[in-house]
Structures are given as C-alpha cells and as structure tokens.
Amino acid sequence: MRRLAGDQELMMYWAFDEGAGRSALEQVSLSWDEIQYVFNQAEFTGPVDPQWRQGVVGRGLLFDGYSTFITHPAREMDRMQEPKLLSALSIGVWVAPRSYDWGYEGKLAAIVNRHHRDRHQGYLLGMFRHGRWSFQLGLDQGGWKEVWSPDGCELPKHEWSYVNAVFDGDRGEIKLYLNGRAIASSEVPVGSRMVEAVGTDLLIGKNNHSSRWAGVFHLQMFSGILDELKIYRRALSGEEIAASYREVLDSLYGGIKPQVPYDEIKLDRAPLLLDWHRPQYHVSPPAHWMNEPHAPIYFEGRYHLFYQHNPLGPYFYQIHWGHWVSEDLVHWRDLPVALAPEKDGLAPDGIWSGSATYDADGLPVLFFTAGNDSASPNQSVALARSTYLTDGNSDLVQWVKHPEPLIVQQKGMGAFGDFRDPFVWKDDDGWYALVGSGIEGAGGAALAFVSKDMLNWTYKGPFFQADLQKFPYLGPIWELPVLLPLGADKQGESKHLLLVSPVGEGADVEVFYWIGRLDKEELSFIPDQEEPELIDVGDFHFTGPSGMVDPKTGRKIIFTIAQGDRTAELEYQSGWAHNAGLPLSVYLRDDGRLGIEPIQELQSLRGAKRLSIQDKTMAETNDLLRGIKGDMLEILVELESVQAKQLGIKVRCTPDGKEQTLLYYDKVEGKLLVDRTKTTLHPREKCKGIQGGRLDLFGENLKLHLFLDRSMVEAYANGLKSLTTRVYPSRRDALGLEIWGDGELVVRSMEVWDMKSIW
C-alpha cells in the first residue's frame, strides 16, 4: 500500500490503481468494493468494464456522470449500533472534473459521502454548479454545517486539483484546502463532534440522497476522474496537506501542476460501437444525450456542426453545445464541447440552440440562446467568437462569449417567455436574424431583426406567422426557424425556403415548410401557398432543422435530429439517446415543388455491392434477396405496379417473418407509409403502429432510396418526401429484405450496397 507523508490514522484509502476490472480495493480494510457501471452487464451490447484512466499517481477511475459509482457497504455491526461521535475527520482526493452538475434541488454532486442530512448525520464532499464545491457534515452541536469554496477557487474542468476537507472538533473549525492552500474556513462550537451516519453506505461518485429524473436517472453523480481518495480519523494540518501536494508534484511532475490529456477524460464512444441498435454512419455524440444539430458553417476547408448535448448522461438536463468537424459532411471528428453554461450573468443555466455566420472579417461566430433562469424572460440571444485569430486552430475548439446578450425580448415582442433559436445570416447590407416565438392568441411566429454591426439589433416585427385557426397543428410557438435561398423559378422569381418546428399544446412536432418570396425591405416572408408541407412524413423522428448554403458547391443543405423513440429506462441502459439524420440537399424542382436528396458524398460509404438487377418479377427478386442480410445498407429500388394498390419493401426481417418493418406506398390514398406492427417483439420498445403521410406521384413509378443504419431507417421517395423511422428488433437475425405488394408488380431496378461505419 502506497503511503505519503502524514498517513497516520488512515481510515480508508482507494488508490484506484487496479486499471481494470469491476471493483476497487479499499486498502485499509483490504475489502474489494464493487464499481457500478451501466455496461458491466448491458442488454444491447457485450459487457464492458468501467473506464480506467491515467491517474495523477498511477491509475485513476473515470466516472461517467450518470451510472458510475462505488459502494463501500456499512457493516452489519455498524447498522445496529448507536451513532458514533468523531472529534475529527479529514478527506483528501485528486479530482479532475469533466462536467458540472446543474445543481437540481440544491444538492451536491458527490465526490464521497456517507450522510443523512435530515438527521444531521455523516459527511458529504461534493461539487455544485460551475465548479463550486463544498464540505458538509452533521454535528452534535449546531446541526448540519456547510463550508463552501469562495469565488475563484472553483474546480476547473479537465485539470487535476488536489482537494482536502478537514473537520477539527476540538479546535472548533472546518477548513477547505485547494492544491495545498487553505481557501475557506468556518467556525463551529469548540468540542463539537461529527455524528456518523450509522447504517448508511459510503458512496463514491453518487449522492446518498440523489434526486431522480424521468423516474430512472440519479442526478448529483460525479463526472470525471478520481484518484488517491483518503479518509482520516484525525485533523490534518495545513503543513501536512501542503507537503502531500508538493510530494506528488515534485516526485512525479517536476514541480508543475499536472494536466489531464483530453483523450484521457473525453467521452469515449468505443463501448457504444458494440451496441447493435446504435447507428454507425449517422453522426452522433461519443455518448450520452443529444438533440438538434445546428449552426453548420464552413471555414478553412472544414465543415463545423454543433449540437445540443448533455454530457452528464443520456437524458435532457444540462445543455451544452457539442461540436463535430468534417472535410466531407460524412466523416466527422469529435471535438471538445464548444459552449457550456458558466458562472456569469449571460447563460448560467443552459446554452440552447442557435446558428453560425461570419463577422465582418469573415471569421465564424455563433449565435445561441442564452439560458438564465434568474432573468425574465429566461431566454435571450447571445454571441460567441472563435479564438482563431489568436490560436490559429482551424478546428475552432475555443470560443469566447460576448459578455452581454445581444437581443433581449421585450413585452409585445412575440409571445413573452418564448424566444429562442436565432437563425442569423449575412449579406452585403448587414446581418439578419429570425427568432422562434409566437404571437399571443394567434399562434407560432418567426420574429425578424436586422443589424448593421452584428451587435446592435432592431426589431422589425413578425417575419411570418400562419393562421392557427386553419392550421391548429402549427401550434402556439415555433422553434428553429431556418431560411434558405432556393434560386429563381421558371418565371425568374427568386424563391426562399422557410422551415419551422412547432411546439406547445396541439402542435405537431415535425418540420413544416413553405416556399415563397423574401421581402427584404419589410423583412417578411410571403408564401406561395398558405398551407405548409412536410419534408418527412415519419412520426417525430425528423425534427430540429438547421441549414446552410454550402460555400463549396452552392447547395442548400439541411440537418435534423433523429429522435430515438425509446423509454428513459432503455436510454439509461444504452448510454445514448438520439443521433443526427443524414445531411439533405434541398432544391427547387422544375415543377415548383421542393426536391430533397441525401448528399452525394454519402456514396463514399458504400462497400460491397450486393445486388444489381433490372426488370424482375417480385418472386424473382425475392429469391435473389434471400442471400442478402444486413442492418447497414443502402438500397435503390424502382417499383412499377401492374395490379398492386400497395407496394414497397420489407426491411429488418427475421427468417420466420415474426419481426419485420414494411415501407410502402398506397396508390389509392396517395400516401407513403411505414408499418411497424411487427417491428419488434421487445416488450419495452415503443416502435409500433402505422405512420406516414401524403405523397403525390402523379403516375410515376415508386422510386425509393433507403438507408438502413442499425435502428435508423430513412426512405426517400422520388426525390419529394422522406420517411424517417426507428426500428429496434429484439432478434439479432432481423436482417432480411423482401419486396412486397398486394398484387402483381415489376422491379424495374434494384441496387444494394453494404455501408461502412464513419467511426
């Protein structure tokens, strides 16, 4: 057992030097404590050990923020005894946080604790919002006592900090030490004694009394690496603590405070690559929760795409901006979180959706929704600038927020309290912004703003609003407005595409669009037709739009979120929630309708060509398809009806047909549909029923372009509509394909490719 200076009267010690396995040795009692980790036993992947990393001394243990913790059980004798009184207690630990908890219900994300606050028993050392930290304990005199780190002494993310907390009842004081230096103290009555929490387990990385979220997730879990956790039954002196700190620095790091390499602490996607439901060529975070991808921008030969992200776990909670970069819009690299809530007056409670554009010098800037629950309204439009000019890093890893919000909603400016998701663009005359909101009593709206300098904005009124009485599914509030130029129609008139995502009571949470004309003088939108249309006719799997004009090609590209359609319990077990849809190219067709196609760069993912046929009967085709299995496929198929009123293709079929998903076109109803009544036999998966929507083919053959990627199914029909859905078969042999019709049909052509992972 490794000991440092002053290790007398050591009660408990975890060195975390195991480096592998599912338990950690408490080296005083020589007991092995189980490490709880979601992938110790996983339903949708093989078992994976907890994540061990380089520690500050030897190895350390990485806590994932939602499932990793250690239990040191209370002994049976301890459970039956009266509470013990301790005259002193000291805790020392090396801490490298990855993320901060939001601080729900005012509770600490525990580093180590064995406490019962209501009974004024035990102790708790943990972190709070924005890196603030505290030591708390129950005393026989004075009840529950807390001491907090002062401003400027927060625990920084992705850095090692040496944390000590000392209770000295005989001297009547509690102290905090950071990196060998005393930073805070609090007086307690001289002669005070800490009351032990008898019968309570000691937990590392989890609060003894954590809050529950969505009925499944425990909040107040530590996120980051811990090393060298020691608990003493005496009060360490400041000299001993400073000596321990210096001993580590001097003996191992040449006297310099150790840093944490990003690769050691970042979210690791490797365990999730084994999940047989997780898409492999759709872009996703390394792990945990995402919502809409947004703010696409091109700079120095690279595409950047950001996304709503909770780095603490696979649930909606503490929103950051995740970040990817790509050279081809297909193969993406994970980058560190771009924007995070900070202890400031701008966005302490969330960094919500927005967009990207360029400043006057052509440098990228991010516009985002700043979440500040102490303000009214709690949403405003804010700005962040890249540090590219100072660091030259074209990955745009570092961003600095403008200290004040740029646009603050006033009464009479849309539906007060709903004001988010700025979409900003620039032209030769200045900058323009659309903000999602509504008009009180009248329904959703996009609000328009204009600026000459990107910092000072003028409200121009509603950019566009629809008639809620005629179209109640458009709801009271719009989110994520996007405006893209489509070019001139056959009459030479310039057209634009407006996308919105309705929310609120009665809203159909889908992506609706209009094609129309931009009135730049009034900064308003005039649609060609009053009724909106859908790009995608799936149910809630294609939402959260963002868009860009590709500077390389002039294409108009939109990005979306593909919702997971699973229970919170299954997302807990899986360790991830949601992924992005495929990037889509949108354009104005000669017939005036909106054309949609997945971007051509996706062809770079094609592997072996499994099938290429023309002019076959359904029976002949299905004979050939019996030898083709896969859950990562691209399929092009053209079907001509002879007598069939319904025709399409079954995917993810088991050999006995007990699990299958049918994508088909109903000629009589003029609808593109998916039948998921047999998609899964899993009792807890939600994907069920028949979904779809209107598709007018006007006598054309049905031409489907399909992408299968594990649980993702995307079908693009005749370049006009898409149908995005999710499938979670319970059986691993649900890999088959079958052409289907309720009458005679001809397979005019069909091609099938294996698809490769982008990771």
Side-chain angles (χ1 to χ4, degrees), residues 599-612:
I599 60 172
Q600 291 185 345
E601 289 90 335
L602 292 164
Q603 294 178 15
S604 67
L605 297 176
R606 289 174 176 173
K609 195 167 192 176
R610 307 289 298 280
L611 183 71
S612 180

Side-chain angles (χ1 to χ4, degrees), residues 295-299 306 321 354-360 362-367 383-386 396 399 422-427 430-433 454 457 547:
I297 195 164
Y298 184 78
F299 184 69
F306 303 84
W321 273 33
S355 61
T357 188
Y358 304 96
D359 67 12
L363 296 174
V365 290
L366 304 181
F367 283 83
L383 169 74
R385 298 178 186 269
S386 166
L396 306 180
W399 298 84
F423 179 80
V424 181
W425 73 97
K426 177 184 180 293
D427 67 15
W431 289 264
Y432 305 85
M454 199 180 69
W457 292 83

Side-chain angles (χ1 to χ4, degrees), residues 659 676-682 685 687-688 728-730:
E659 289 189 335
R676 298 193 302 172
T677 55
K678 291 185 176 181
T679 289
T680 184
L681 297 172
H682 195 292
E685 296 286 9
C687 46
K688 306 289 182 183
Y728 302 96
S730 66

Side-chain angles (χ1 to χ4, degrees), residues 403-462:
E404 302 292 334
L406 301 187
I407 307 176
V408 178
Q409 187 182 30
Q410 308 296 323
K411 290 290 180 67
M413 186 186 289
F416 193 74
D418 286 292
F419 189 76
R420 51 190 174 269
D421 311 333
F423 179 80
V424 181
W425 73 97
K426 177 184 180 293
D427 67 15
D428 292 339
D429 296 322
W431 289 264
Y432 305 85
L434 303 181
V435 179
S437 186
I439 304 298
E440 298 286 357
L447 309 180
F449 299 83
V450 64
S451 174
K452 290 294 186 183
D453 62 3
M454 199 180 69
L455 298 179
N456 298 284
W457 292 83
T458 300
Y459 179 49
K460 299 290 286 185

Side-chain angles (χ1 to χ4, degrees), residues 201-212:
D201 293 338
L202 180 148
L203 300 182
I204 302 171
K206 179 182 179 181
N207 192 304
N208 279 126
H209 301 280
S210 59
S211 305
R212 297 293 289 270

Side-chain angles (χ1 to χ4, degrees), residues 57-284:
V57 179
R59 302 296 287 171
L61 181 63
L62 178 62
F63 292 71
D64 67 0
Y66 89 99
S67 79
T68 312
F69 67 97
I70 295 173
T71 302
H72 185 70
R75 297 180 180 180
E76 192 62 32
M77 285 182 59
D78 178 39
R79 293 180 185 277
M80 301 187 308
Q81 291 176 351
E82 292 295 318
K84 294 180 181 178
L85 301 179
L86 295 183
S87 62
L89 183 77
S90 299
I91 301 174
V93 61
W94 285 87
V95 177
R98 181 168 63 198
S99 303
Y100 303 141
D101 189 81
W102 183 66
Y104 183 68
E105 296 186 334
K107 297 179 181 179
L108 297 180
I111 296 171
V112 59
N113 69 134
R114 186 191 180 201
H115 85 285
H116 199 302
R117 179 170 181 158
D118 292 343
R119 298 175 184 169
H120 299 164
Q121 293 180 352
Y123 58 89
L124 165 62
L125 175 64
M127 297 180 61
F128 198 56
R129 292 164 59 91
H130 314 309
R132 198 178 179 208
W133 55 288
S134 176
F135 181 47
Q136 306 179 2
L137 68 169
L139 302 179
D140 63 341
Q141 303 180 51
W144 190 255
K145 190 67 177 178
E146 303 177 0
V147 58
W148 287 81
S149 62
D151 289 345
C153 293
E154 294 81 13
L155 301 180
K157 288 184 281 192
H158 299 186
E159 293 184 24
W160 282 113
S161 296
Y162 186 45
V163 169
N164 282 264
V166 177
F167 162 66
D168 189 335
D170 291 339
R171 300 185 63 174
E173 63 182 11
I174 309 173
K175 286 189 173 184
L176 300 182
Y177 294 80
L178 178 60
N179 297 327
R181 180 175 62 91
I183 61 167
S185 64
S186 179
E187 293 183 358
V188 297
V190 173
S192 294
R193 296 293 182 261
M194 190 199 82
V195 183
E196 282 202 302
V198 171
T200 300
D201 293 338
L202 180 148
L203 300 182
I204 302 171
K206 179 182 179 181
N207 192 304
N208 279 126
H209 301 280
S210 59
S211 305
R212 297 293 289 270
W213 193 267
V216 173
F217 296 94
H218 287 270
L219 303 184
Q220 296 95 35
M221 303 277 286
F222 178 75
S223 172
I225 308 175
L226 295 181
D227 196 15
E228 295 293 309
L229 171 58
K230 298 179 180 181
I231 303 176
Y232 303 81
R233 61 170 55 88
R234 69 183 182 89
L236 296 179
S237 69
E239 291 77 10
E240 289 176 305
I241 291 170
S244 294
Y245 177 65
R246 294 306 316 176
E247 186 172 348
V248 170
L249 264 60
D250 293 343
S251 63
L252 299 176
Y253 297 98
I256 299 172
K257 185 172 180 284
Q259 300 296 306
V260 181
Y262 176 68
D263 285 347
E264 288 292 313
I265 200 169
K266 68 180 182 181
L267 284 173
D268 182 7
R269 70 170 59 248
L272 280 69
L273 294 176
L274 304 175
D275 186 319
W276 55 78
H277 289 316
R278 192 169 204 225
Q280 296 300 300
Y281 61 85
H282 287 73
V283 65
S284 60

